Amino acid sequence: MGYPYRHASETTTILSRYMGEPEGRPLSGWLERGGYESLRTALDLEPEQITTIVKESGLRGRGGAGFPTGLKWSFMPQQPAGPHYLCANADESEPGAFKDREIMRWTPHLLIEGCLIAARAIRAQHIYVYVRGEYFPVTRILNEAVVEAYEAGYIGEDILGSGWSCDLTVHLGAGAYIAGEETGLMSSLMGGRAEPWMKPPFPAQRGVFGAPTTVNNVETLASVPGIVANGAAWYTQWGTEKSPGTKLWCCSGHLSKPGNYELELGLPLRDVLYDVCGGPPEGRRVKAVLPGGSSTAFLTDDELDCATTYEGLQEAGSALGTASPIVLDESASIVPAMRRIAQFYAHESCGQCVQCREGTAWITKILRRIEEGEGEPRDIDTLYDLCEQLTGRTICVLADSVVFPLRSSLDKFRGEYEALMRRSSAVAT
Ligand SMILES: Cc1cc2nc3c(=O)[nH]c(=O)nc-3n(C[C@H](O)[C@H](O)[C@H](O)COP(=O)(O)O)c2cc1C
Ligand code: SF4
């Protein structure tokens, strides 16, 4: 938990404003900072009014896919015949991502407040916060905050005398990356293995315990109180039309100033890496960056002048993902880095789909062979072929996740693969 927090400016610190301030963590400190005022506002609104505000704000899901949050909420049945659920996705296992942890660590009541507002909007009676299995200290902090919120009447029966009741359970996950995929999360929550299921049915049709469910990322939910308190126009003052607001960045790898930064969406990626994070140490250049975390395509130093928006990074051939750039400078080798990434996905594949189970394992094996100087020229074709086999054919997109960095590494750094192979053929002759 050693990364620093740096605020871009006073006006762009919505989520990170109280990070680094332990006084804001307990309920008393949170109330002094205006906490739960937004919930009071939401309790005076009809559920669909809350959804409209969030829709107008343009907030997009921060779990990786960037799906519009208000639209997702509007898929929930408007006249519930039975229970509805909200799941806050706090599984945060994507290599490179360390933002949800910091929200929960410093401002647990911000997440609770966001969950309650979202639950009211989707007419949920129960909220589950599914926390990554390894996040023990964060879970303790969250549990303490939940107890405080129950005692103060923010969670439970007849919340603040509104007539609306909602419970909240913190659930410590089973320690698997795939439990972060929304259907895997729900399978795990219901006591099964974290195995994703085919969609449809979508969670809003049939989710936890067979009931309509919305799954939202922690950062998404933590963005909601500010939007409800200040209005959609306040939020859209930052970012672009398609990517409004601010975003927590998790910047790691070869950077002089790695850390968590809250930034307005839309800055050039080059500015984020070089100006905000100080660039690679000792004046070296960026060789490659995975801008949105390990499941996004590599960009090179020549490609960093794109906007840090959902649309900007897509145009550049990659993705915003969880906004977790992992930077490799000129001193790094691509093949071992790519092998390490593939190894992660092979380890975390739940094994239900042959393409994913076998494909990620074979990719890892081939990359290791190349890395160890025993590759053959045809291995590159095999890797491209595996990219084809793994794309769009599986229950969830974990398989696709390894393809983005792999294919881009082959396209952009083929020479590094071939150099290792030349070494092996030189040894053989
Ligand atoms: C393999 C895999 C792992 C995922 N892990 C996470 C995660 O740890 N946290 C998260 O919020 N979303 C994760 N997601 C995305 C979720 O399935 C889901 O889209 C997200 O929680 C929706 O929230 P949002 O709309 O607020 O972004 C993952 C997706 C996949 C395919
Ligand atoms: S793609 Fe992989 S992780 Fe996803 S369901 Fe299939 S085997 Fe499991």
Side-chain angles (χ1 to χ4, degrees), residues 63 72 85-93 100 104 126-133 169-199 203 206-209 213-218 221 350 352 395-396:
K72 183 185 269 195
Y85 295 103
L86 172 73
C87 293
N89 192 341
D91 196 59
E92 191 164 64
S93 309
D100 299 339
M104 295 186 282
H126 206 117
I127 300 161
Y128 291 99
V129 183
Y130 188 101
V131 188
R132 175 178 169 158
T169 305
V170 176
H171 181 97
L172 190 61
Y177 169 62
I178 196 57
E181 194 282 335
E182 58 187 9
T183 57
L185 181 153
M186 291 188 285
S187 300
S188 170
L189 192 60
M190 291 187 283
R193 292 167 63 123
E195 290 179 339
W197 69 67
M198 289 287 275
K199 294 182 265 190
R206 201 158 76 229
V208 177
F209 309 118
T213 302
T214 294
V215 183
N216 273 134
N217 170 258
V218 164
L221 292 163
C350 82
Q352 288 187 97
I395 297 174
C396 84

Side-chain angles (χ1 to χ4, degrees), residues 106-236:
W106 294 105
T107 50
H109 285 288
L110 176 64
L111 173 60
I112 294 171
E113 191 171 359
C115 285
L116 287 163
I117 297 169
R120 181 158 172 82
I122 63 163
R123 299 173 169 85
Q125 296 85 355
H126 206 117
I127 300 161
Y128 291 99
V129 183
Y130 188 101
V131 188
R132 175 178 169 158
E134 294 87 349
Y135 279 0
F136 296 118
V138 160
T139 304
R140 186 179 44 75
I141 290 168
L142 206 51
N143 272 323
E144 283 169 9
V146 169
V147 169
E148 285 182 314
Y150 261 109
E151 285 172 358
Y154 296 112
I155 316 177
E157 288 289 311
D158 187 22
I159 294 172
L160 300 176
S162 64
W164 176 61
S165 303
C166 188
D167 284 302
L168 190 152
T169 305
V170 176
H171 181 97
L172 190 61
Y177 169 62
I178 196 57
E181 194 282 335
E182 58 187 9
T183 57
L185 181 153
M186 291 188 285
S187 300
S188 170
L189 192 60
M190 291 187 283
R193 292 167 63 123
E195 290 179 339
W197 69 67
M198 289 287 275
K199 294 182 265 190
F202 292 97
Q205 299 165 301
R206 201 158 76 229
V208 177
F209 309 118
T213 302
T214 294
V215 183
N216 273 134
N217 170 258
V218 164
E219 186 186 351
T220 313
L221 292 163
S223 303
V224 168
I227 292 169
V228 169
N230 301 294
W234 169 83
Y235 196 66
T236 56

Side-chain angles (χ1 to χ4, degrees), residues 213-263:
T213 302
T214 294
V215 183
N216 273 134
N217 170 258
V218 164
E219 186 186 351
T220 313
L221 292 163
S223 303
V224 168
I227 292 169
V228 169
N230 301 294
W234 169 83
Y235 196 66
T236 56
Q237 71 178 292
W238 298 290
T240 63
E241 195 186 337
K242 290 184 182 163
S243 303
T246 68
K247 175 89 195 69
L248 281 176
W249 285 74
C250 316
C251 304
S252 67
H254 292 148
L255 290 169
S256 305
K257 295 185 287 175
N260 281 113
Y261 296 89
E262 182 175 0
L263 302 171

Side-chain angles (χ1 to χ4, degrees), residues 50-59 68-74 232:
I50 304 171
T51 302
T52 301
I53 295 171
V54 173
K55 251 187 194 172
E56 287 173 359
S57 76
L59 174 66
T69 306
L71 184 62
K72 183 185 269 195
W73 293 0
S74 70

Side-chain angles (χ1 to χ4, degrees), residues 178 181 194-197 345 348-357 360 394-400:
I178 196 57
E181 194 282 335
E195 290 179 339
W197 69 67
Y345 287 104
E348 298 299 330
S349 165
C350 82
Q352 288 187 97
C353 317
V354 176
Q355 293 92 334
C356 174
R357 186 184 64 233
T360 52
T394 50
I395 297 174
C396 84
V397 295
L398 182 141
D400 303 63

